[in-house]
Amino acid sequence: AQTVTQSQPEMSVQEAETVTLSCTYDTSESNYYLFWYKQPPSRQMILVIRQEAYKQQNATENRFSVNFQKAAKSFSLKISDSQLGDTAMYFCAFMKPGGGADGLTFGKGTHLIIQP
Amino acid sequence: NAGVTQTPKFRILKIGQSMTLQCTQDMNHNYMYWYRQDPGMGLKLIYYSVGAGITDKGEVPNGYNVSRSTTEDFPLRLELAAPSQTSVYFCASSYGHQMGGYHYNEQFFGPGTRLTVL
């Protein structure tokens, strides 16, 4: 079974700063997918970014980018030019290959607070 | 497209009562999932289904039952509710490839149901 660990329960930064959220995982799979989800106070789960393990290039989506270190089993999320709307819970998640039939494994989350 | 819809949004149950959480998706997804999110925790998989008539247990299935008679609906049944089942429940769906391999299928989540058992 795989596990996902987020070691930062809460982080707080000033608006416009850059912040990095950490995630480590453990798996015996060689190919898999990793995700960062955002959960604002509305509770809606929003996909922020994804990374395929077989791709060496780090994924980027506008202000969001990841640092994927496969050997170290590390998958951190960097948010540049942070905005007040980025305030939310952020969850790191793992998916085995094969179409995702048996779901996602989530970390416990990091509560990110963007201060004005 | 409404996406994934869940009813009710909130519910309070007494210990020992039963209820069904409804989940419907209109994206013709074959895969559907139920997760629970306890306070301060990530989501944990309760049950999943890869198609109508096929269901399987996830990480935390005890105290729950599911059925999948249609592609669109995936209800979650709680029998004999207990305080430990107080949680937020999320339904999700995706389009899965049966042949497996390197297929990525984004999961779309419903808005969640907040359940309190007293």
Side-chain angles (χ1 to χ4, degrees):
Chain A
Q2 47 282 331
T3 59
V4 177
T5 302
Q6 294 179 249
S7 58
Q8 305 152 312
E10 185 170 289
M11 296 187 71
S12 180
V13 299
Q14 297 294 123
E15 192 176 8
E17 289 183 345
T18 294
V19 59
T20 299
L21 308 183
S22 301
C23 173
T24 59
Y25 58 94
D26 190 26
T27 184
S28 58
E29 305 281 347
S30 58
N31 291 297
Y32 44 86
Y33 301 96
L34 295 163
F35 306 87
W36 279 98
Y37 279 87
K38 173 185 178 181
Q39 186 181 46
S42 66
R43 285 202 316 246
Q44 184 68 47
M45 296 293 288
I46 302 165
L47 178 64
V48 174
I49 198 166
R50 65 175 172 91
Q51 174 78 43
E52 294 88 343
Y54 60 86
K55 290 186 178 179
Q56 292 187 332
Q57 187 173 4
N58 289 325
T60 299
E61 289 286 344
N62 300 314
R63 297 184 295 108
F64 299 88
S65 61
V66 299
N67 184 3
F68 173 52
Q69 301 290 327
K70 189 173 184 180
K73 295 182 180 175
S74 171
F75 182 60
S76 61
L77 174 69
K78 186 172 83 171
I79 305 174
S80 303
D81 186 27
S82 58
Q83 301 174 358
L84 296 178
D86 295 334
T87 292
M89 286 292 295
Y90 286 82
F91 294 97
C92 180
F94 175 99
M95 179 191 287
K96 292 194 295 186
D102 49 359
L104 292 159
T105 300
F106 287 87
K108 292 184 179 181
T110 295
H111 185 205
L112 176 64
I113 301 168
I114 308 300
Q115 305 276 9
Chain B
N1 275 356
V4 181
T5 57
Q6 294 182 236
T7 56
K9 287 187 171 53
F10 305 93
R11 183 73 185 268
I12 298 175
L13 282 182
K14 294 182 179 178
I15 295 172
Q17 287 186 321
S18 300
M19 77 163 294
T20 299
L21 281 66
Q22 301 292 343
C23 175
T24 300
Q25 53 90 10
D26 62 358
M27 297 173 282
N28 201 32
H29 287 166
N30 52 343
Y31 290 4
M32 294 188 75
Y33 314 84
W34 275 106
Y35 295 89
R36 60 176 286 174
Q37 183 181 24
D38 298 331
M41 303 291 285
L43 282 66
K44 292 188 176 181
L45 185 65
I46 305 172
Y47 270 95
Y48 64 95
S49 169
V50 298
I54 306 169
T55 63
D56 208 344
K57 296 178 181 178
E59 184 183 353
V60 289
N62 291 344
Y64 306 95
N65 280 299
V66 293
S67 59
R68 183 97 182 268
S69 57
T70 67
T71 299
E72 295 79 18
D73 300 307
F74 190 39
L76 178 71
R77 177 81 176 163
L78 279 73
E79 304 282 1
L80 299 175
S84 62
Q85 293 178 305
T86 292
S87 191
V88 178
Y89 291 84
F90 288 95
C91 180
S93 71
S94 69
Y95 181 70
H97 297 263
Q98 295 295 327
M99 293 177 62
Y102 304 153
H103 295 296
Y104 160 68
N105 304 294
E106 180 180 349
Q107 290 191 16
F108 293 83
F109 286 83
T113 294
R114 180 177 294 279
L115 175 67
T116 302
V117 182
L118 300 173

